[in-house]
Amino acid sequence: MTSTRDTLQKIIAENSVVLFMKGTPEMPMCGFSSVAAEILRRSGVAFHDVDVLKSQDIREGIKVFSDWPTIPQLYIKGEFVGGCDILKEMYQSGELRSFLKEKGIAFEEAAPS
């Protein structure tokens, strides 16, 4: 039987950009998840989303996996980036674009609006 940790590692390994969120980008179920998905959309980043509300094991497991207590959580190329506040700060400062470029992730070069 596959453990939750194995499942999380597989999702993160198979997707360059993963957003663990409440709901979906089209129908977020919390404001923080909505903001995180919108930042990625505005940045033109293709990302895989995981609705943690569909699985209690994933919802609790991702918090243990990252040692981060809140959702959403963003992973880029297997690296935990952070939650909504960190993503928002990175987006506004331009650091997100630099990080994406460094990791070889395609995105739109336009500055944040």
Side-chain angles (χ1 to χ4, degrees):
M1 189 170 156
T2 306
S3 73
T4 300
R5 183 171 188 78
D6 290 341
T7 300
L8 293 168
Q9 284 177 319
K10 186 176 190 311
I11 292 168
I12 292 165
E14 290 178 351
N15 298 280
S16 295
V17 181
V18 184
L19 182 64
F20 290 88
M21 63 183 292
K22 293 178 181 175
T24 65
E26 299 75 29
M27 195 144 181
M29 300 305 281
C30 87
F32 297 112
S33 290
S34 177
V35 168
E38 183 62 23
I39 287 171
L40 292 173
R41 250 199 311 269
R42 284 186 183 186
S43 299
V45 175
F47 65 98
H48 178 74
D49 60 281
V50 177
D51 181 358
V52 300
L53 298 178
K54 289 185 175 180
S55 166
Q56 187 67 23
D57 288 345
I58 296 291
R59 184 177 181 175
E60 294 308 316
I62 193 64
K63 295 175 188 178
V64 173
F65 185 85
S66 63
D67 196 24
W68 190 262
T70 59
I71 293 165
Q73 292 188 14
L74 178 66
Y75 286 79
I76 297 177
K77 292 280 182 140
E79 184 177 331
F80 175 61
V81 177
C84 180
D85 291 345
I86 290 171
L87 182 57
K88 190 173 177 181
E89 192 177 294
M90 288 176 73
Y91 176 70
Q92 291 171 339
S93 72
E95 187 182 347
L96 180 60
R97 288 192 311 275
S98 301
F99 187 74
L100 291 167
K101 192 177 287 187
E102 174 189 312
K103 295 294 183 181
I105 302 294
F107 65 96
E108 290 180 15
E109 289 281 350
S113 54

